[in-house]
Amino acid sequence: MPLPRGLPVVDHHCHLSPRGESVRAVERFRAAGGTHLFLATQNYEATFPLSLDTYARQFETTVRLAEKVHDEVGVRVYPVVAPYPIDLVGASARLGATAALELHRNALDLAGRYVREKKAVAIGEVGRPHFEVRPEVAAIVEQAFRHALEVARDVDCPVVVHSVDLTAAGFLELAERAREVGLRPGRVIKHYTRTPVAPESRGAVVPSYLARRDLVREVSASPGPWFLETDFLDDPNRPGVVLDLATVPRRAAAVLAQDAEHGAERLYVPFVESVERVYGWRPEVDSEGSAI
Ligand SMILES: [Zn+2]
């Protein structure tokens, strides 16, 4: 079943690398019916950043990739930038905890400037490593996370959180962290969510669900806001460890095929309504089905 013409089809979290498939992967996304991508930055170099210049170079690469994809494929790309929380693990071993935290805070401030200058739409990924870290690292992780929430509050944008998979208690804890600094919990997105959490149990924090077939089936009728994502990594050395970039449009087509009557309405929730509620604007497509 073809996707409805006026419907944007949005992958809310992916990565692209100049050394990976890059534009070719987005061509596959476009061919499957995809129109808009949220592109999270990543470390494009051999080691984690140890200077603010390296972060600046990294964010610039993400923004340039977004423009290149739009120019060459016509897919609209929204950059999301921040220092990766796991950078603190390596940086603290090399620079010491204090200097690593200082660098991280400066990189978060830089990410905030990108949002203010409209070169990025959100701060992310921020949060906590998905594995156990030494207590002194755990302490700076918390301080860095708090600063990330403050930056989002100050520039008035969403934050995209990296962490272990969360239950309702974890969602409520995130909401609490946001409220502590005066950030609206509805601006907090838990990326790579694999466990559906009922809307009344997540304290307004927004899940971005991994677009696995079973999960999409489980959440597709639930009220928003929520998103779908692949977390595509664009790493030619690790094929198949994550979902392919064509997955979200394919799942959208499956939702429509399953429920011709309500499918489009359901897809409107993650692709339009949720973007509007969390980010404040809506992705749009023209009469040809291309991103505007
Ligand atoms: Zn990611």
Side-chain angles (χ1 to χ4, degrees), residues 37 45 54 100 106 112 135 142 184 190 199 210 214-215 229-230 252:
L37 287 174
E45 300 182 18
T54 312
N106 290 337
E142 290 310 309
R184 191 159 56 80
K190 169 61 181 93
L210 185 64
D214 57 326
L215 256 178
E229 64 168 69
T230 53

Side-chain angles (χ1 to χ4, degrees), residues 27 31 35 48 63 66 71 86 100 167 174 179 191 222 225 243 254 259:
E27 281 171 348
T35 59
F48 47 84
V63 169
D71 291 349
I86 294 166
T167 58
L174 283 186
R179 261 196 306 273
H191 127 76
S222 64
L243 297 177
D259 186 346

